[in-house]
Amino acid sequence: MAKETITKLTSQAAPLPIENIDTDQIIPARFLKATTREGFGDNLFRDWRYNADDTLKTDFVLNDPTYKAARILVAGKNFGMGSSREHAAWAIHDYGFSVVISSFFADIFRNNSLNNFVLPVQVSDEFLAKTFAVIEADTQAQITVDLESQQVTLPDGTTTSFEINPYKKNCLMNGYDDIDYLISLRAEIEAFQSSRA
Amino acid sequence: MSNTPQTLFDKIWDSHVVKRQEGYPDVVFIDRHFIHEVTSPQAFDGLRKRGAKVFNINRTTATADHNVPTKDQHLPIREALSRHQVEKLRENCKEFGIELYDLLHPFQGIVHVIGPELGITQPGMTIVCGDSHTSTHGAFGNVAFGIGTSEVEQVLTTQCIIQSKPKKMLIEVNGTLEKGVTAKDLILYIIAKISAAGATGYFVEYAGEAIRNLTMEGRMTVCNMSIEMGARGGMIAPDEVTFDYMRGRRFAPQGEDFDRKVEEWKQLKTDEGAHFDVVLTFDAADIKPMITYGTNPGMGIGVTDHVPTLEEIPTTEQPSFQKSLNYMGLQPGESLLGKAIDYVFIGSCTNARIEDLREVAEFVKGKQKAAGIEVWIVPGSNQVAEQARAEGLDKVFEGAGFELRGPGCSACLGMNEDKVPAGKYAVSTSNRNFEGRQGPGARTLLVSPLTAAVAAVTGKVGDIRELV
């Protein structure tokens, strides 16, 4: 299997204009019992997507076939707060999203996403509001996220830039792994540990 | 050594940096790594895939807490997926040589309860765990924070984590708390003031008279909920209260070693004039017993206050506010005082320590559980349960018609059987009131153990200050 990378993506976007979406909504605790990383996408936003009898809630955005090609999720501010469960990032990735756009992300979720090839794109409240408006006007609107230039572009050409740590950017663009980097420092880590004994 | 005044956070973080280079996050050495059954299995798979060993098994502590039943812990776990996850933890600990405090082990319990009570948590450390409430350990003057499973794998493999250094926030709470107002109310008040995202990107140090006057267990409650305002972690400089709590603990240094360590630990404080990116000051006298009304911990009010009206909420936030109240079955402007409730949960890494149980027992002694409600008392660990029995608290609870169960995370997140049914109101001493947190459709009202005790005997939301 080729290494996964993120460079540039143009896609339809699914809107979730709700603030403070916590990781218990992204993936409820009762679905954290798997011991592998696969399959969590089925339970992404489980209690918003399904009724208690497991039938689909037709008014939820992910159940609307209009948005079935979306690889970008656009969500209200403070996305991913709460539990440190990496399962939230796994569920988003497994469902098929590569990018989440919001005006604010919780710290642990941001780290977890970056470690799982889900790019958190933080934009201003104004740009986020405009993005929601663009999607509302045209559900098929194509949004471009370019990691190289760190820019998001809406169909009308409106562009904004986003920040990312240069190291993590390099990891995402080239499919590098944090652990490979840490293992390369093994001698330094051992020396550090000995110096503290 | 530079003479620039430093914060306690800077001192501990910087002294643990193995490598710092431009454009990279820091590589930080981790003194203590706690693991549990839910966020570790995929990390162990990663080690196997690389043929790696655990870097230092002596810096790793394992327990089973999230999934475990709180009844009949001697029997095999009934729920197949939970059982599988706990068995997986056993296999992984055995294969990699990590000591596990398994079900029925005298040291088993919620990971953030057992670390401190066993003296594993010590001042000046870096501590991580695949659980956001790792911030609890900061009460001892540590840099302690929750991590994801990929990071668990980093720490298992290399004892280090790649992490950008957070900004620093000082929260001072001056003055003294009114009788009946506790550490839980103090932290719920701060979160309500600054919101569930108010400290995102920051590591918090708590200071001031009201913090100094808290017991160690109260300080743990405060630091525990740092994550509920988005903070990377929370910490309190160690003092005599800390040292008194630690003396004689199972894995703490003993005798003269301990005294020597105390001299070192006394140096762990923020220098006069050190820079914080943000400083917030609160007055303890303003704090009432608190209760949450919404679906994040920032949606809290004093028990005698009313739920905000729609006009009190900024226009852009009104849809989320309304969605939250719809879920909770509450109206804008409503008062919660006297509201009938269905369940009371006293437990979790926030409030399931022996002092919490003592407080509850003292209040309920000679009283009876209100008719028609369920009360679950879930101790934080086997040691807490043991101590409760030694003090006769179990008899007080039984006499009142409550159930003292076995230790675990339980109804805080409902991964085991302890779930609150849809539509029911649960007064809970835990840390999160998210939609479905205590079971699909469950409606959580977060409170202190004392306010939970009031609800347990009256069946309603009440003001503890009128009863003590």
Side-chain angles (χ1 to χ4, degrees), chain B residues 134-180:
Chain B
T134 308
S135 56
T136 313
H137 306 265
F140 293 79
N142 292 309
V143 170
F145 54 93
I147 58 176
T149 298
S150 294
E151 294 167 322
V152 170
E153 188 180 336
Q154 292 176 25
V155 180
L156 285 174
T157 314
T158 67
Q159 207 58 43
C160 286
I161 189 167
I162 297 183
Q163 203 81 184
S164 296
K165 190 176 175 182
K167 290 179 283 186
K168 291 158 289 180
M169 181 184 284
L170 177 68
I171 295 182
E172 270 184 316
V173 189
N174 300 315
T176 46
L177 293 169
E178 200 181 335
K179 193 168 169 58

Side-chain angles (χ1 to χ4, degrees), chain A residues 80-112:
Chain A
M81 71 166 176
S83 158
S84 63
R85 60 189 69 165
E86 192 161 317
H87 313 65
W90 297 337
I92 289 171
H93 184 267
D94 191 55
Y95 183 86
F97 291 117
S98 300
V99 171
V100 182
I101 298 175
S102 179
S103 57
F104 202 74
F105 289 93
D107 291 329
I108 306 180
F109 176 80
R110 182 195 299 270
N111 282 356
N112 288 340

